[in-house]
Amino acid sequence: MSGAEAVMRRDFAARERHAPDEAQVAALTGLAARVRELTEAVVHTDVDPAEADAVAAEIAALTARLTAARREHPPVAALGADGRLRHLANPVSGELNPIAPPVLLEIVPDGGGVRAEFTLSDVYEGPPSFVHGGVSALILDQLLGAAAAVNGTPGMTATLELRYRRPTPHGVPLTAEAKVSRVDGRKTYVDAAITGPDGKATVQATAMFVMPQG
Amino acid sequence: MSGAEAVMRRDFAARERHAPDEAQVAALTGLAARVRELTEAVVHTDVDPAEADAVAAEIAALTARLTAARREHPPVAALGADGRLRHLANPVSGELNPIAPPVLLEIVPDGGGVRAEFTLSDVYEGPPSFVHGGVSALILDQLLGAAAAVNGTPGMTATLELRYRRPTPHGVPLTAEAKVSRVDGRKTYVDAAITGPDGKATVQATAMFVMPQG
């Protein structure tokens, strides 16, 4: 086990002992959703400077209220029957993280990998009217890693290759899918794509994951 | 010019006519910074469900205040002497976007490309204690594109290849750099890397950008 791997395991174990209960997860999910809406409002607001300053001061007061009881690390939760831990504040799929769209993954039965349907707002915009190319990379990395994990061959990302076929539009339903193509010893190869409403792939990706030793 | 390219140009031109003035940019920059702190507090909070619900309700009220005056699109601003437009709410480098760390780019003199120094909080966490691999990709994509633009050969990302050498730690100062390696007709090749506090590259990247026609 590498040093980094040891740090991760120790750190996750400590968080598990202080996992939030269902009622707290539900409340924090709602709280994060409200901050997601606030973020979208900030990116679009045209209020005058005095009103922006006034709202900013009220936000600082709310931050202080939330900080009155603070976890050392973002929360994790045990998941269903297999007991796998889930990072509730993951920046792509974490419902407790306001920066996550969130992209909620489903497992495709019979070894079909993982998939997600989602719509991105212009908070994630790069070129005008289109999703930032790096945001597509962020989402695909999450799906690729999840597909490797669901396959029973989880690992750290070693390489990630993205091919941008056409711009990815925001504000419309998108689909992303990822599936393991090959396992070679400790290496797992996974393919993924984001598809637009017209059924055409906008970004295709291939990643190679290396399973930790021991 | 492709259809997508035409959409982007038209859309940016419309936004330029309604660019925020300096005082509004300053106020919105402060507002976004407060929402960034709020996001960090949400990811760490351990308040009970009743308090989380109460704060969520106050946030919804602030969102309504900001939405009272709303822009159709995220704002852009004209930049310095060259008149280039800057996306103020870019999800990586936009000070007006609460989800952006933000990663502020500097131009390295004498054709040295672009660089940035920044620290990522655990809002951007993937594996425990480390930055999400897709967040590294998101940041590198932004730097790679900026290096191509600064070189006078801007374009849309065609391919992006990432090599993960070791985990990228959060909570410590990181450096990212990108520089054009080669221009071949309409294709621009750029190399980039994120470096940790020990001076070792954690993620290396190469991208190819294609300049729009006409």
Side-chain angles (χ1 to χ4, degrees):
Chain A
M1 187 183 339
S2 72
E5 183 69 14
V7 166
M8 286 180 222
R9 290 194 191 182
R10 185 197 63 207
D11 197 356
F12 234 42
R15 296 185 205 192
E16 194 183 1
R17 287 193 291 276
H18 186 49
D21 64 21
E22 250 178 67
Q24 197 185 28
V25 169
L28 295 178
T29 297
L31 175 63
R34 296 298 83 72
V35 177
R36 216 168 275 133
E37 291 157 6
L38 176 67
T39 295
E40 209 267 349
V42 167
V43 164
H44 288 90
T45 192
D46 197 17
V47 297
D48 61 40
E51 175 70 349
D53 288 347
V55 170
E58 297 219 26
I59 290 169
L62 296 174
T63 298
R65 278 174 63 179
L66 295 177
T67 305
R70 187 176 158 91
R71 294 171 181 280
E72 190 183 348
H73 301 290
V76 299
L79 240 206
D82 67 354
R84 278 201 305 136
L85 289 176
R86 189 160 73 105
H87 194 319
L88 297 168
N90 179 286
V92 180
S93 59
E95 286 160 281
L96 265 56
N97 190 333
I99 79 164
V103 173
L104 302 177
L105 307 187
E106 317 157 40
I107 297 177
V108 180
D110 303 322
V114 296
R115 74 188 304 278
E117 290 179 20
F118 54 95
T119 298
L120 298 172
S121 74
D122 44 14
V123 166
Y124 302 95
E125 184 180 75
S129 301
F130 297 102
V131 173
H132 192 293
V135 169
S136 296
L138 168 63
I139 291 169
L140 285 167
D141 180 64
Q142 178 73 20
L143 268 99
L144 289 156
V150 162
N151 191 54
T153 52
M156 297 286 290
T157 316
T159 60
L160 171 58
E161 295 180 11
L162 299 130
R163 299 171 296 283
Y164 293 84
R165 299 304 188 193
R166 48 184 64 80
T168 302
H170 58 59
V172 299
L174 301 171
T175 305
E177 295 177 289
K179 194 177 164 182
V180 170
S181 62
R182 188 159 64 92
V183 178
D184 180 7
R186 290 170 51 229
K187 296 178 180 175
T188 302
Y189 296 85
V190 191
D191 293 322
I194 295 176
T195 304
D198 60 1
K200 290 183 183 169
T202 61
V203 190
Q204 296 169 321
T206 303
M208 193 260 282
F209 296 89
V210 176
M211 271 181 277
Q213 284 174 305
Chain B
M1 188 183 339
S2 73
E5 183 71 15
V7 166
M8 286 180 221
R9 291 194 191 183
R10 184 197 63 207
D11 198 355
F12 234 42
R15 295 185 206 192
E16 194 184 2
R17 288 193 291 276
H18 186 48
D21 64 22
E22 250 178 65
Q24 197 185 30
V25 169
L28 295 178
T29 297
L31 175 64
R34 296 298 83 71
V35 177
R36 217 169 273 131
E37 291 157 5
L38 176 68
T39 295
E40 209 268 349
V42 166
V43 163
H44 288 89
T45 192
D46 197 17
V47 298
D48 62 39
E51 175 70 348
D53 287 348
V55 170
E58 297 218 26
I59 290 169
L62 296 173
T63 298
R65 278 172 65 177
L66 295 176
T67 305
R70 187 177 158 90
R71 293 171 181 281
E72 190 183 347
H73 301 292
V76 298
L79 239 205
D82 67 353
R84 279 202 303 137
L85 289 176
R86 190 159 73 105
H87 194 320
L88 297 169
N90 179 286
V92 180
S93 59
E95 287 161 281
L96 266 56
N97 190 333
I99 78 164
V103 172
L104 302 178
L105 308 186
E106 318 157 39
I107 297 177
V108 180
D110 303 321
V114 297
R115 73 189 304 278
E117 290 179 20
F118 54 95
T119 298
L120 297 172
S121 74
D122 45 14
V123 166
Y124 302 95
E125 184 180 75
S129 301
F130 297 102
V131 173
H132 193 293
V135 170
S136 296
L138 168 63
I139 292 170
L140 285 167
D141 180 64
Q142 179 72 22
L143 267 99
L144 288 157
V150 161
N151 191 54
T153 52
M156 298 287 291
T157 316
T159 61
L160 170 59
E161 295 179 11
L162 299 130
R163 299 172 296 283
Y164 294 85
R165 299 301 188 194
R166 49 184 63 80
T168 303
H170 57 61
V172 298
L174 301 171
T175 305
E177 295 176 290
K179 194 178 164 182
V180 170
S181 62
R182 188 159 64 92
V183 179
D184 180 7
R186 288 171 52 228
K187 296 178 181 175
T188 302
Y189 296 85
V190 191
D191 292 323
I194 295 177
T195 305
D198 60 1
K200 290 184 184 169
T202 61
V203 190
Q204 296 168 322
T206 302
M208 193 260 279
F209 297 90
V210 176
M211 273 182 275
Q213 284 174 305

